[in-house]
């Protein structure tokens, strides 16, 4: 299990670092569509001649041939000729620039590597902020239920039980269809749907701690509820909470990808792994890489998160043999 934890931690660290440095690591802007004719559905590793036209357009060509009149360009299976005065990056043997698709391109000629890196920023940011919101709500409800006890505890737990019975994926799809898709809306929906299990964990752990001798001694000495919460309860519930949050992170990443795949997540102009998979669903037979690249990134990230969560559970569990 230690080996799995190490592998998962390294993989998750690499994904996080790639997301952080995406603006500097990505070879092209994520939404750049240089040439819908010459650059669409290009296989991984393709290198094209980038012909810069004087009107500001970029043509991506499989081959170019210099002529006395200008340049012959093989683009979209057809040869065309452009004059010397129409090209700004002309050289003696062709053009000076190249456009490389390291992981291929989609039907809009967008670079998949660039979109993958920027999509990691989107997916991880949404997942982390959603988990932070769910953690805040879960801690608050669980702590109030444990400290208040009695009718307040019973009421809050019955509300939690009722919410846990809801099919949350269907609820998220319905709510996402009713509100305008945005990153903030998606974070709020995912966070608001993920706090119930955390609240039960926090409530159960704190109720057990309230029966411990050191907590009873603090109460006997006149400690208030806020002091108990800050000094004695919260420090002792972090272990199960951290484990639960880590394991839930993978589920949130998958939920965000599912909603984005259905067009109910982030706006289409914002790259995300789920949106990239959706973009390639119509071209799976002739351009497998459009869905495979973000799908592989999603699978690797979720597996890494689960490996880290399992490793933390084994390392932090005091009952571990």
């Amino acid at each position: 299990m230690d080996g799995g934890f190490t592998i998962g931690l390294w993989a998750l660290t690499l994904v996080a670092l790639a997301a952080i440095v995406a603006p500097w690591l990505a070879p092209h802007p994520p939404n750049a569509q240089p040439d819908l004719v010459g650059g669409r559905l290009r296989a991984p590793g393709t290198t094209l001649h980038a012909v810069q036209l004087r009107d500001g357009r970029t043509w991506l060509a499989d081959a170019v041939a210099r002529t006395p009149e200008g340049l012959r360009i093989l683009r979209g299976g057809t040869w065309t000729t452009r004059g010397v005065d129409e090209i700004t990056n002309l050289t003696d043997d062709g053009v000076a620039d190249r456009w490389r698709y390291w992981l291929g391109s989609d039907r809009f000629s967008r670079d998949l590597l660039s979109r993958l890196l920027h999509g990691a920023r989107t997916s991880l940011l949404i997942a982390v902020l959603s988990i932070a919101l769910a953690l805040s709500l879960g801690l608050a409800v669980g702590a109030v239920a444990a400290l208040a006890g009695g009718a307040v505890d019973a009421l809050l737990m019955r509300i939690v039980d009722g919410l846990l019975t809801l099919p949350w994926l269907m609820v998220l799809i319905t709510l996402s269809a009713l509100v305008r898709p945005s990153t903030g809306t998606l974070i709020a929906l995912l966070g608001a749907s993920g706090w119930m299990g955390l609240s039960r964990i926090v409530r159960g752990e704190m109720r057990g701690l309230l029966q411990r001798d050191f907590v009873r001694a603090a109460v006997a000495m006149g400690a208030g509820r806020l002091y108990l919460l800050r000094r004695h309860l919260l420090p002792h519930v972090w272990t199960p909470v951290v484990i639960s949050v880590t394991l839930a992170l993978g589920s949130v990443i998958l939920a965000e990808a599912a909603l984005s795949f259905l067009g109910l997540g982030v706006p289409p102009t914002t790259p995300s792994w789920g949106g990239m998979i959706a973009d390639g669903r119509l071209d799976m037979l002739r351009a497998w890489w459009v869905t495979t690249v973000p799908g592989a990134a999603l699978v690797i990230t979720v597996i890494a998160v689960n490996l880290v969560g399992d490793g933390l559970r084994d390392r932090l569990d005091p009952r571990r043999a």
Side-chain angles (χ1 to χ4, degrees):
M1 185 59 67
D2 287 345
F5 172 78
T6 302
I7 293 173
L9 186 61
W10 273 107
L12 192 58
T13 300
L14 289 176
V15 172
L17 288 176
I20 292 172
V21 301
W24 302 275
L25 191 61
H28 307 291
N31 291 318
Q33 302 177 27
D35 186 357
L36 296 179
V37 174
R40 70 189 306 266
L41 299 179
R42 290 292 185 165
T46 300
T47 300
L48 301 172
H49 300 271
V51 181
Q52 306 294 339
L53 301 180
R54 194 166 298 279
D55 59 9
R57 291 180 297 164
T58 299
W59 277 11
L60 300 180
D62 293 283
V64 295
R66 189 73 163 84
T67 65
E69 296 79 16
L71 188 70
R72 296 187 69 225
I73 303 167
L74 178 60
R75 171 173 168 264
T78 303
W79 284 96
T80 58
T81 302
R82 288 284 177 170
V84 174
D85 58 342
E86 297 181 84
I87 300 173
T88 61
N89 62 339
L90 198 63
T91 63
D92 293 338
D93 57 352
V95 292
D97 302 309
R98 300 290 187 274
W99 190 289
R100 292 177 176 85
Y101 287 121
W102 297 105
L103 294 180
S105 66
D106 62 12
R107 60 173 41 232
F108 301 106
S109 77
R110 296 175 299 191
D111 179 52
L112 289 184
L113 175 58
S114 301
R115 291 183 63 77
L116 185 75
L117 293 172
H118 284 271
R121 290 170 65 90
T122 302
S123 297
L124 292 183
L125 177 64
I126 290 174
V128 170
L129 293 181
S130 300
I131 286 293
L133 177 59
L135 176 61
S136 301
L137 293 173
L139 282 174
V141 174
V144 170
L147 291 173
V152 174
D153 180 23
L155 176 62
L156 289 176
M157 289 302 100
R158 296 300 75 76
I159 293 175
V160 169
D161 291 340
L163 292 175
L164 286 172
T165 63
L166 297 177
W168 274 103
L169 182 58
M170 298 303 298
V171 173
L172 287 174
I173 292 174
T174 302
L175 293 177
S176 298
L178 293 176
V179 298
R180 184 178 181 180
S182 69
T183 302
T185 300
L186 187 58
I187 291 171
L189 292 176
L190 292 173
S193 65
W195 61 269
M196 289 77 71
L198 286 171
S199 69
R200 293 180 66 87
I201 293 174
V202 171
R203 181 252 187 189
E205 291 290 331
M206 287 189 177
R207 283 183 64 85
L209 289 169
L210 289 172
Q211 306 304 316
R212 301 282 294 273
D213 291 339
F214 69 93
V215 177
R216 288 186 171 184
V219 174
M221 295 175 63
R225 291 180 177 179
L226 290 179
Y227 178 84
L228 286 176
L229 183 65
R230 177 177 58 85
R231 181 68 176 177
H232 296 295
L233 299 182
L234 285 179
H236 288 84
V237 302
W238 277 119
T239 295
V241 166
V242 168
I243 295 172
S244 179
V245 164
T246 304
L247 292 173
L249 185 61
S251 299
V252 174
I253 293 174
L254 286 176
E256 181 276 327
L259 291 174
S260 295
F261 178 83
L262 295 173
L264 303 174
V266 297
T269 55
T270 302
S272 70
W273 290 344
M276 292 176 65
I277 296 173
D279 291 339
R281 69 186 185 277
L282 300 177
D283 304 305
M284 292 182 63
L285 296 180
R286 56 175 175 168
W288 55 266
W289 54 88
V290 181
T291 54
T292 301
V293 167
L298 184 64
V299 170
I300 291 171
T301 302
V302 173
I303 291 177
V305 169
N306 289 334
L307 288 175
V308 171
D310 289 340
L312 287 176
R313 181 174 55 193
D314 292 339
R315 288 167 177 259
L316 300 178
D317 188 355
R319 294 166 296 184
R320 182 189 180 194

